Amino acid sequence: MKKRQFLQYMGSAAMAAPFFTLPLEPGQPEADIPYPSDKDSDEFWERIRADFRLKPDYINLESGYYNIMPTPILEKYVEHMKEVNYQGSYYMRTVQGENKMKAAARVAKLVNCSEKELVITRNTTESLDLIIGGYPWEKGDEAVYAVQDYGAMQVHFEQMEKRYGIVCKKVSLPNHPKSDEEIVSLYESQITPKTKLLMICHMVNVTGQILPIRKICDMAHSHGVEVMVDGAHCVGHIKVDLAELDCDYYGSSLHKWLCVPLGAGMLYVAEKNIPKIWPLLAEHENDPTKIRRLNHTGTIPVHTDLTINDSADYLEMIGLERKEERMRYLQRYWSDPLRDVENVVINTPIEPHRSCGIANVGLLNMKPGEMAKTLLDEFKVWTVAIDFENVHGCRITPNVFTTTAELDQFVAAIKTMAKRT
């Protein structure tokens, strides 16, 4: 296959190739039937569920770590893997970089930024650590972040503290803020003339709380402070409009809610900030204005990059707004009936705009670790325990394949556990 033909193949494969499916579990609906035209119907979501090969051993309410791929995307992934293996070094030396740039451009369009400002990474941690480790720190500079932020980034800030003598200042996010202004004021209270960078979560990973990003950015910028946003759980989950958010840096994991294979993330750097960041690994690109100079990865599983287009196609088939509405519906379906139950604590705000598919529930009569173990061992519900700072409970992350019947079982389980002494 000639280079031009191969480029044409890779660029059109996502749209031209049919969706294939893996063997289904007994009793699982057939996945080779068309998607219903009424995409807001129960039948549509039943058809979407048929795209996933689900283990019958438990109800999976832990999609937050990463989203398993629907079989249409998984089959495309396998196709790409086979094709890259077939082409071998020819692929790697000819169109690898070009195709990665195309994938980055597709993600840039999804999050509404220039393709000059976005690169594909392996995950959110890599994306944000590229900024933390490459920031032009000077002794005495201050960074502000929350104790509820992801641990890997906090550890990297602490490393900068030891290496460069910066000062790390932490805030604690309330689980139930009274207003956006309460959150904005919390971060503003830590800003001094020495503050250089705020790290904030778009969606807090342990509770699902959505923060008022634009308001925080406006406040920080008024003090000359830059903002780095952890959007690990947002791309493919809720609308992300980087032009509207006006942040300086944004990282996300594409293997979460966009359903790309494991090992895919994105980093956005506002164009004006690209020259100031030092690369973690030296790149042949020497132009300080090019974001590619921050993106040396060596040899990686490039078939993952190719699958980004297939995942974006699948999301577009569902519709991002429709998916966001569905995820918020599923979360409220289980969380609302539990908010007034004795011994039950919902650690996620009740206002609809402050959360989407992720929420956290705790029990006053049971520690999170025991709670998660009981849910799995006794009720066959898989989730994850969160037990630090002001968040004590289990993070519940349903997905587009989750049914209300499964959530009914979960709610019944929590109510049963809440009665125990």
Side-chain angles (χ1 to χ4, degrees):
M1 187 182 292
K2 295 181 180 180
K3 178 179 176 181
R4 183 179 298 275
Q5 292 174 318
F6 185 57
L7 275 169
Q8 185 177 10
Y9 162 80
M10 300 309 269
S12 62
M15 296 302 295
F19 279 175
F20 298 98
T21 58
L22 290 172
L24 300 171
E25 294 294 333
Q28 191 171 337
E30 291 294 331
D32 57 354
I33 60 175
Y35 297 100
S37 57
D38 182 1
K39 293 187 177 182
D40 295 312
S41 64
D42 291 340
E43 290 75 17
F44 176 74
W45 295 111
E46 291 171 2
R47 175 62 187 81
I48 292 297
R49 180 180 172 87
D51 279 340
F52 291 82
R53 190 181 184 203
L54 303 173
K55 286 186 70 175
D57 308 64
Y58 49 75
I59 296 171
N60 183 3
L61 294 182
E62 219 298 87
S63 288
Y65 197 129
Y66 86 99
N67 280 212
I68 60 174
M69 289 178 281
T71 51
I73 298 175
L74 179 58
E75 290 294 338
K76 293 294 182 65
Y77 178 52
V78 172
E79 288 178 22
H80 295 318
M81 189 184 304
K82 288 179 178 179
E83 186 63 32
V84 170
N85 187 66
Y86 176 66
Q87 295 289 330
S89 64
Y90 177 81
Y91 176 82
M92 301 298 284
R93 293 186 183 279
T94 56
V95 295
Q96 172 203 176
E98 203 168 342
N99 283 332
K100 185 174 184 179
M101 290 172 64
K102 289 180 179 179
R106 184 72 181 273
V107 177
K109 182 179 179 181
L110 176 63
V111 299
N112 193 28
C113 72
S114 167
E115 59 189 74
K116 298 178 181 179
E117 300 174 306
L118 188 143
V119 286
I120 300 301
T121 62
R122 289 176 293 186
N123 47 60
T124 307
T125 297
E126 179 179 279
S127 297
L128 300 188
D129 279 356
L130 281 168
I131 303 304
I132 298 169
Y135 203 81
W137 299 110
E138 296 181 0
K139 187 175 182 178
D141 286 347
E142 296 175 353
V144 179
Y145 52 91
V147 294
Q148 291 83 7
D149 284 331
Y150 197 67
M153 276 72 85
Q154 294 194 52
V155 170
H156 206 162
F157 271 116
E158 292 166 3
Q159 182 171 300
M160 297 301 100
E161 192 171 36
K162 295 175 182 177
R163 186 175 184 181
Y164 297 115
I166 74 169
V167 177
C168 297
K169 303 172 72 174
K170 302 180 183 181
V171 301
S172 183
L173 294 169
N175 292 335
H176 302 281
K178 299 180 179 64
S179 65
D180 288 348
E181 287 64 39
E182 180 183 0
I183 299 295
V184 174
S185 296
L186 184 65
Y187 283 100
E188 188 171 28
S189 69
Q190 298 301 309
I191 292 178
T192 75
K194 294 183 178 181
T195 307
K196 301 297 182 183
L197 184 67
L198 297 188
M199 177 173 71
I200 58 176
C201 277
H202 196 169
M203 184 183 294
V204 181
N205 89 92
V206 292
T207 64
Q209 181 180 171
I210 296 174
L211 299 188
I213 302 301
R214 179 56 189 259
K215 291 182 180 180
I216 296 173
C217 287
D218 288 346
M219 175 277 294
H221 292 160
S222 73
H223 293 285
V225 176
E226 294 181 345
V227 181
M228 180 179 74
V229 180
D230 178 349
H233 288 279
C234 297
V235 175
H237 185 169
I238 63 175
K239 181 182 179 182
V240 176
D241 187 332
L242 292 177
E244 171 60 27
L245 295 180
D246 197 29
C247 58
D248 298 278
Y249 314 95
Y250 193 103
S252 189
S253 291
L254 305 181
H255 55 240
K256 291 187 185 291
W257 298 96
L258 192 56
C259 296
V260 177
L262 277 169
M266 56 142 282
L267 169 65
Y268 159 83
V269 181
E271 191 169 9
K272 68 181 187 298
N273 294 325
I274 294 172
K276 73 192 297 181
I277 303 298
W278 283 92
L280 175 64
L281 301 174
E283 176 56 83
H284 294 289
E285 176 59 73
N286 292 318
D287 186 339
T289 67
K290 300 291 182 62
I291 195 170
R292 277 193 62 191
R293 60 185 276 276
L294 306 177
N295 193 220
H296 185 92
T297 58
T299 305
I300 60 171
V302 295
H303 39 274
T304 298
D305 299 336
L306 292 169
T307 315
I308 290 172
N309 278 303
D310 305 307
S311 297
D313 288 342
Y314 192 82
L315 176 64
E316 287 184 3
M317 180 275 294
I318 293 176
L320 177 58
E321 184 178 348
R322 182 176 294 106
K323 181 177 179 180
E324 179 176 343
E325 289 177 357
R326 179 66 177 181
M327 293 308 304
R328 184 171 286 108
Y329 167 77
L330 292 173
Q331 185 257 118
R332 297 306 294 260
Y333 184 89
W334 72 259
S335 64
D336 282 354
L338 292 175
R339 286 187 182 272
D340 296 323
V341 175
E342 186 177 1
N343 284 333
V344 175
V345 178
I346 302 296
N347 296 308
T348 302
I350 193 170
E351 299 88 348
H353 69 283
R354 296 196 192 280
S355 65
C356 192
I358 301 174
N360 186 292
V361 58
L363 293 172
L364 296 178
N365 59 333
M366 194 176 293
K367 292 184 177 181
E370 181 186 358
M371 181 180 171
K373 187 176 187 303
T374 302
L375 280 169
L376 182 60
D377 293 348
E378 187 174 338
F379 298 98
K380 306 306 177 186
V381 175
W382 171 242
T383 184
V384 61
I386 306 293
D387 194 8
F388 70 95
E389 297 302 331
N390 59 336
V391 184
H392 308 284
C394 288
R395 184 181 69 180
I396 309 302
T397 49
N399 208 322
V400 290
F401 55 71
T402 306
T403 66
T404 54
E406 289 175 326
L407 294 176
D408 287 338
Q409 293 182 56
F410 170 69
V411 169
I414 293 296
K415 288 181 177 179
T416 297
M417 293 160 64
K419 296 176 181 179
R420 295 177 178 173
T421 57

